[in-house]
Amino acid sequence: MEKTMKSKKLDAYRTEFKIILLLVIALVLTIITESVIQYVSNIVEELLRLYSYSIFVKLIRARDALSSLYSIMGYFEFAAILAIYCHLIFRKKVALFLEIDNTVKTAANGNFQTRIQNISQDDLGRFSQNVNKVMDKFNLALENQKKAEQTKINLITSISHDLRTPLTSILGYLKLIDNDEYDGEITLRTYANIALNKTNRLKLLIDNLFELTTLNDYGIKLSKKKVNVTELIKQLIIEHTVNFKKANIECRLIISDEQLYVLGDFINLARAFENLIFNCIKYSKTSKFMDIALNKNASKITLEFTNYGEPIPSKDIPYIFQRFYRVDKSRSSETGGSGLGLAITKNIIELHNGKISVESNVSKTTFKIELPCLSEEETIYD
């Protein structure tokens, strides 16, 4: 705090010194100009004395008669010259200050698109740049706020639809049971089983939604430690062996290095990778294989989850990681998807300073993750 106060005082003294220095320069230039004028005047008088004595005498008499007026005119002359030099020295700064004032007034009236155009390289210029930066950041904040509001509206709409659909179905079947509108125990069990499945799907949706709302910088604190990504993927493949068999899919693992480490939260990374494994299983019905490839490229680890099922339409790719977005809504309902898995995965990866993208064509669909890896020194001495 003390250092900040001292720095502010030094900045104030520096600015004051610059202003005083400019005024001194204007004053010195004025004195020099006055001296030059006086010197030229003396030369003219001397020339008149030598070559036109009568005019010289008249000039001397007039000056003596109007000595007080000449004295006053001398002061005015000095003031005028000083004013001219001050104008020449300060005119750009005054113009910039007025432009700053107009820009701030325009912004105060609600127009945040205006900017200061004429920027100098001095303190006032740097102040102008800071004003422009503030305006840019404020505009960005306004845009983000509008997007957040629209996202909130879309989210509420999606949640309402996704919660209402299974609830309506559950209530319908429970009413049939309550009104004894069934033929026998088999029909009763069928209705109860449908209601149970819809309830489980509703619980999955609510759990995923809760997880998604907590996956942000202020809602969750990651417990980051050294994680061997290769071992984590191998463990997940073993855990999901039953799911692979049920789907009649073979998971092929392609590894370039057994020692691939990242600084991350083990549980959340496992959650993100599991979502992509489930996604590959879900959409690999037309293929017997899915691939997981791990590579190291410079300071990054690349993971690729590839399925050989139906391609994602190009029009859907920009929205694939949005909440509740589904490429095929009917298929998502059948498979019990909540439309939140990929959004959760994206948030987890970004919380680890990573990137996720997708490429899809008629032969395969690949989800690619890039994560910053630990250096060899960090791996050894951690």
Side-chain angles (χ1 to χ4, degrees):
M1 190 69 180
E2 258 182 61
K3 287 183 179 178
T4 305
M5 291 298 294
K6 286 181 180 178
S7 177
K8 287 181 178 179
K9 285 183 179 179
L10 286 173
D11 288 339
Y13 293 150
R14 195 180 293 113
T15 303
E16 289 172 2
F17 174 76
K18 288 179 180 178
I19 294 171
I20 293 170
L21 182 61
L22 290 174
L23 289 172
V24 169
I25 290 171
L27 186 60
V28 169
L29 289 173
T30 302
I31 293 170
I32 292 171
T33 304
E34 273 286 298
S35 300
V36 171
I37 290 172
Q38 187 61 44
Y39 179 72
V40 172
S41 177
N42 291 336
I43 291 174
V44 170
E45 286 182 6
E46 187 62 26
L47 289 173
L48 287 173
R49 188 179 67 81
L50 292 173
Y51 298 101
S52 185
Y53 187 75
S54 59
I55 296 175
F56 172 73
V57 171
K58 289 177 181 179
L59 184 64
I60 295 298
R61 286 176 181 174
R63 188 176 63 184
D64 292 340
L66 301 171
S67 58
S68 58
L69 182 60
Y70 265 92
S71 178
I72 294 171
M73 286 178 64
Y75 290 125
F76 274 110
E77 181 185 272
F78 185 86
I81 294 170
L82 180 61
I84 290 170
Y85 278 121
C86 286
H87 168 70
L88 293 173
I89 291 172
F90 290 104
R91 65 190 175 113
K92 289 185 178 180
K93 296 182 183 297
V94 172
L96 180 56
F97 179 79
L98 292 175
E99 187 178 357
I100 293 171
D101 182 59
N102 289 331
T103 301
V104 173
K105 284 180 180 177
T106 305
N109 291 328
N111 181 6
F112 300 105
Q113 301 300 325
T114 183
R115 294 292 182 275
I116 301 168
Q117 302 298 329
N118 301 317
I119 297 177
S120 60
Q121 299 300 318
D122 55 10
D123 291 338
L124 202 57
R126 285 188 288 274
F127 176 71
S128 303
Q129 290 176 345
N130 289 332
V131 170
N132 283 344
K133 286 179 182 177
V134 169
M135 303 285 277
D136 290 338
K137 288 183 178 179
F138 191 77
N139 271 330
L140 183 61
L142 284 178
E143 289 176 11
N144 289 338
Q145 185 180 7
K146 289 178 183 177
K147 288 180 181 178
E149 286 295 323
Q150 188 59 46
T151 301
K152 185 166 65 175
I153 293 169
N154 294 340
L155 180 61
I156 292 171
T157 304
S158 299
I159 290 172
S160 300
H161 176 270
D162 281 71
L163 291 179
R164 185 173 64 245
T165 302
L167 274 176
T168 302
S169 182
I170 291 167
L171 287 172
Y173 283 105
L174 289 179
K175 281 181 181 179
L176 290 175
I177 294 172
D178 188 52
N179 295 332
D180 297 326
E181 296 180 22
Y182 52 88
D183 297 332
E185 186 178 347
I186 295 176
T187 306
L188 172 63
R189 285 184 174 277
T190 301
Y191 289 169
N193 189 52
I194 292 172
L196 178 61
N197 289 335
K198 296 291 182 180
T199 304
N200 287 333
R201 183 171 181 274
L202 186 61
K203 181 181 181 301
L204 173 66
L205 175 64
I206 293 170
D207 288 344
N208 285 345
L209 183 62
F210 176 76
E211 183 177 2
L212 183 63
T213 55
T214 58
L215 280 174
N216 50 62
D217 290 333
Y218 53 85
I220 186 172
K221 289 183 179 179
L222 298 177
S223 177
K224 290 187 177 182
K225 296 178 181 178
K226 186 175 73 173
V227 177
N228 188 327
V229 179
T230 306
E231 292 299 322
L232 174 56
I233 292 295
K234 285 182 177 179
Q235 180 180 328
L236 290 175
I237 290 174
I238 293 170
E239 289 176 2
H240 292 284
T241 301
V242 174
N243 294 324
F244 295 136
K245 286 183 178 179
K246 281 184 180 179
N248 195 26
I249 292 172
E250 179 186 347
C251 180
R252 299 180 298 192
L253 183 60
I254 305 164
I255 302 172
S256 64
D257 190 343
E258 292 285 342
Q259 305 298 320
L260 298 176
Y261 291 92
V262 298
L263 186 65
D265 186 300
F266 184 89
I267 294 174
N268 279 293
L269 284 176
R271 178 78 167 99
F273 299 156
E274 273 186 326
N275 284 345
L276 294 178
I277 290 172
F278 281 131
N279 190 79
C280 286
I281 293 173
K282 190 185 300 181
Y283 300 119
S284 289
K285 291 181 179 179
T286 59
S287 173
K288 294 183 178 180
F289 301 101
M290 64 162 284
D291 295 331
I292 302 177
L294 284 79
N295 294 289
K296 184 177 180 182
N297 183 14
S299 60
K300 293 180 181 178
I301 291 176
T302 302
L303 298 93
E304 294 182 349
F305 296 78
T306 302
N307 73 75
Y308 300 92
E310 295 179 11
I312 301 171
S314 57
K315 64 183 178 64
D316 292 313
I317 286 179
Y319 313 102
I320 199 73
F321 296 105
Q322 288 186 3
R323 288 171 284 193
F324 294 104
Y325 190 83
R326 296 187 179 105
V327 174
D328 185 339
K329 298 187 187 304
S330 62
R331 183 171 63 177
S332 294
S333 296
E334 290 170 6
T335 54
S338 65
L340 294 171
L342 291 178
I344 290 171
T345 298
K346 182 175 184 289
N347 279 19
I348 291 173
I349 298 304
E350 288 180 348
L351 284 172
H352 287 81
N353 301 317
K355 295 179 182 178
I356 183 169
S357 59
V358 60
E359 293 180 359
S360 186
N361 54 47
V362 291
S363 60
K364 63 180 181 179
T365 297
T366 300
F367 286 87
K368 182 179 179 181
I369 292 175
E370 291 182 351
L371 291 170
C373 67
L374 293 176
S375 64
E376 292 184 6
E377 291 78 9
E378 291 173 313
T379 303
I380 295 171
Y381 295 109
D382 188 20

